[in-house]
Amino acid sequence: QVQLVESGGGLVQAGGSLKLSCTAPGSISNINVAGWYRRIPGKQREVVAAVGRTGSLYYAESVKGRFTFSRDSAKNTVTLQMNSLKPEDTAVYYCNKGLDGTTWYPWGQGTQVTVSP
């Protein structure tokens, strides 16, 4: 069974940077981890950056130009470089599949990102 582990979150001031990482320890290589998502308190989980149904990389409009998504060739590790952070980026960040319409892997615990004004 796939287990997803997110790390790299923390508390930063607006304008700062963080790099999030997602691994799948105990899982085989080439699993389809291809996206980052976040849940802002009181709101539904939303896509941040992910491989879309067409195979193209999708970024939420709110993070374009600030966040950079990447994944390794084995598809079992993804990263999210987050620059110029804003208070509205405060959320729990999760990794999972891209937007391919298939059943999600079990969601991990996520990693908390808090951006102070």
Side-chain angles (χ1 to χ4, degrees):
Q1 191 72 26
V2 173
Q3 293 179 308
L4 302 175
V5 180
E6 300 91 348
S7 62
L11 173 63
V12 299
Q13 292 190 356
S17 298
L18 287 171
K19 185 177 181 180
L20 308 184
S21 296
C22 169
T23 60
S27 299
I28 62 172
S29 298
N30 298 316
I31 63 171
N32 193 25
V33 181
W36 281 96
Y37 307 85
R38 68 186 180 188
R39 183 180 61 80
I40 296 170
K43 297 184 178 181
Q44 190 175 9
R45 193 184 342 250
E46 64 187 33
V47 60
V48 176
V51 177
R53 291 173 179 263
T54 65
S56 298
L57 182 60
Y58 168 84
Y59 287 97
E61 189 66 29
S62 60
V63 308
K64 283 184 177 179
R66 300 188 298 118
F67 292 7
T68 303
F69 168 93
S70 64
R71 64 173 177 170
D72 70 7
S73 60
K75 301 181 181 179
N76 64 350
T77 301
V78 297
T79 63
L80 187 70
Q81 178 65 51
M82 308 166 65
N83 298 325
S84 301
L85 283 162
K86 303 175 180 180
E88 50 263 46
D89 295 318
T90 295
V92 179
Y93 285 72
Y94 304 86
C95 59
N96 213 294
K97 294 182 176 180
L99 302 171
D100 61 5
T102 62
T103 302
W104 301 110
Y105 294 127
W107 294 94
Q109 295 298 306
T111 185
Q112 176 71 50
V113 171
T114 303
V115 184
S116 62

